[in-house]
Amino acid sequence: MTGVESLLRELAPQVLAALVRRYGDFDACEDAVQEALLAASQQWPAEGIPDHPKGWLITTASRRRIEQWRSETARRRREEAVAQNEPPGREPVSGVDDTLTLLLLCCHPALPRPSQVALTLRAVGGLTTAEIARAFLVPEATIGQRISRAKQKLKGERLAGDQRPERLAAVLQVLYLIFTEGHTASSGATLSRVDLTTEAIRLARQLHTELPDDGEVAGLLALMLLTEARRPARADATGALVPLAEQDRTRWNRAFIDEGVALITKALATTPVGPYQLQAAIAAVHDEAATSEDTDWAEILTLYDLLQVVAPGPMVTLNRVVAFAQVNGPEKGLAELGEAAKHLARHHRVDAIRAHLLENAGDLAGAREAYLAAARRTLSLPEQAYLQSRAKKLEK
């Protein structure tokens, strides 16, 4: 990616947010911004980047939007008034919180979660419809329809200040979902999708820059960094999955770990505790252990106990079982798993955890059957191959 392309990708959501905040028509504003970006991509390499590139883009996109209005006879008077008040060559609105504004708009509560994710990746992340479709393994037409319907629902929508707390929670969840799908792809031939994790971290960084005192924003960014830090060791040279306990920790990204630990340490000390902070704290305990044997499972169990109170859910309960078994033994862990499995009976992770605990408890035949059951239920080919290999090792 060239310097101009990188700059345009960074500025695109800010310019779109500025136009949407001023004109209130998401679809028309996006078209105008795309024309401005195209003009910049053609002019800037030859003529040089202007002194105020964001202002240049906003002014150019605003002119395109006004031209659209001028083609609509019923709105001629209003558009001409706007055109007369347009300060040429200057940025028409403040750049403060532009990315956050656009994120909040994309995560409008009227939109279903899949549409929020798709629109966020398209409008804020700059991914094409085809790229989003490939990432989530759905037809491009499906993603296109989601984005189109979402933009229609947002037509004329403006962001009111009193909507921010509700919308911010949705923004965090959308970014978390994007990162989670990238970290462990729910289906397909690849274990992870670096484009999605990279984009989620980039957007979380921008959000943290705009809301530096929000503990949950810091917690989510820390969680992403601490989790992504382990990615280089999650697969071997053939692409096969390597479980956490067997990973070469020298391959972990130390810069990400240091940054994530610093973020979560400050957030826990200065802001109310939330679920993303607790998850980040758990990830930090894993990342700071020099070896798998050095992991402080008692601390992790305590953190999961807190997480169960703050944000209870079946996956939290399931993850807590793993920590509980590490502290209290596989037999007691299996008893806990039996209760947790009632809410996730058909999820492959239930069978995978059961297999691991049975293996540790010495029931190799039972473990083998559970590994095979987990392999049948997962849609991820790398996970499937790993689970089958574990079962094969336990054959008599």
Side-chain angles (χ1 to χ4, degrees):
M1 182 179 294
T2 66
V4 169
E5 290 173 335
S6 178
L7 179 60
L8 290 177
R9 179 167 182 171
E10 177 186 345
L11 293 177
Q14 301 177 40
V15 176
L16 179 56
L19 259 69
V20 171
R21 189 157 50 190
R22 180 165 188 157
Y23 302 116
D25 189 331
F26 191 102
D27 204 5
C29 287
E30 188 184 35
D31 289 342
V33 170
Q34 289 301 316
E35 289 189 37
L37 293 172
L38 178 60
S41 69
Q42 294 172 343
Q43 294 180 35
W44 292 4
E47 302 174 7
I49 297 174
D51 292 338
H52 303 287
K54 181 178 173 183
W56 189 99
L57 287 169
I58 291 177
T59 299
T60 302
S62 294
R63 288 171 177 163
R64 297 291 192 275
R65 182 67 191 98
I66 291 166
E67 289 170 3
Q68 293 170 2
W69 273 1
R70 283 177 174 158
S71 68
E72 303 166 10
T73 305
R75 297 182 179 180
R76 182 173 298 278
R77 285 187 179 180
R78 186 171 73 175
E79 70 200 34
E80 288 177 351
V82 172
Q84 291 171 3
N85 292 328
E86 186 74 33
R90 294 179 56 195
E91 191 172 319
V93 294
S94 167
V96 177
D97 283 352
D98 278 339
T99 299
L100 175 58
T101 298
L102 191 55
L103 278 168
L104 293 169
L105 186 61
C106 290
C107 295
H108 192 288
L111 301 178
R113 190 68 76 210
S115 295
Q116 290 177 346
V117 170
L119 190 60
T120 297
L121 288 173
R122 177 71 182 88
V124 189
L127 274 66
T128 66
T129 303
E131 287 172 331
I132 300 169
R134 285 197 299 270
F136 288 91
L137 298 180
V138 297
E140 185 175 345
T142 300
I143 294 296
Q145 288 172 358
R146 289 177 186 173
I147 293 173
S148 178
R149 290 169 184 166
K151 290 192 290 188
Q152 284 300 311
K153 280 194 175 183
L154 294 180
K155 193 170 184 177
E157 179 69 23
R158 295 182 184 273
L159 184 64
D162 59 359
Q163 294 173 327
R164 178 169 292 195
E166 175 190 359
R167 298 275 186 92
L168 182 57
V171 167
L172 294 177
Q173 187 176 12
V174 164
L175 294 184
Y176 178 78
L177 289 173
I178 293 170
F179 179 83
T180 301
E181 178 62 27
H183 179 67
T184 302
S186 57
S187 60
T190 58
L191 180 62
S192 60
R193 296 192 173 96
V194 181
D195 56 338
L196 288 183
T197 56
T198 300
E199 191 57 33
I201 290 173
R202 186 181 74 86
L203 295 177
R205 284 192 189 281
Q206 291 188 7
L207 198 58
H208 179 59
T209 298
E210 296 180 0
L211 298 173
D213 298 323
D214 189 295
E216 279 295 81
V217 173
L220 179 60
L221 176 56
L223 173 61
M224 289 180 179
L225 292 170
L226 292 164
T227 304
E228 180 69 2
R230 301 193 292 263
R231 182 180 55 79
R234 289 185 68 229
D236 63 19
T238 68
L241 186 151
V242 179
L244 179 61
E246 300 173 18
Q247 289 176 15
D248 177 1
R249 299 184 178 218
T250 64
R251 298 182 62 198
W252 289 0
N253 187 327
R254 179 51 54 182
F256 274 14
I257 293 173
D258 292 343
E259 184 182 359
V261 168
L263 280 167
I264 189 55
T265 300
K266 179 181 177 181
L268 289 173
T270 60
T271 65
V273 176
Y276 293 115
Q277 293 172 64
L278 290 172
Q279 291 179 73
I282 291 168
V285 175
H286 282 297
D287 286 12
E288 290 188 295
T291 67
S292 176
E293 292 73 22
D294 292 332
T295 304
D296 190 342
W297 285 103
E299 183 178 356
I300 290 176
L301 179 57
T302 299
L303 290 167
Y304 270 121
D305 286 339
L306 289 172
L307 187 57
Q308 246 187 343
V309 174
V310 173
M315 291 306 294
V316 173
T317 302
L318 195 58
N319 289 331
R320 180 189 173 277
V321 168
V322 177
F324 181 88
Q326 289 288 341
V327 174
N328 298 288
E331 292 83 2
K332 291 184 178 180
L334 284 165
E336 289 280 313
L337 180 63
E339 183 65 26
K342 294 178 181 178
H343 304 287
L344 286 167
R346 297 190 62 80
H347 198 286
H348 78 277
R349 285 207 65 220
V350 174
D351 290 310
I353 292 173
R354 180 179 290 112
H356 176 70
L357 296 180
L358 286 170
E359 184 177 359
N360 287 345
D363 184 353
L364 303 187
R368 180 177 179 277
E369 290 304 312
Y371 277 128
L372 291 174
R376 287 193 295 270
R377 285 179 172 160
T378 183
L379 298 177
S380 167
L381 297 183
E383 284 189 338
Q384 188 178 95
Y386 168 76
L387 293 165
Q388 289 172 341
S389 70
R390 297 293 299 185
K392 188 172 182 62
K393 289 179 180 179
L394 299 179
E395 290 180 353
K396 292 182 179 180

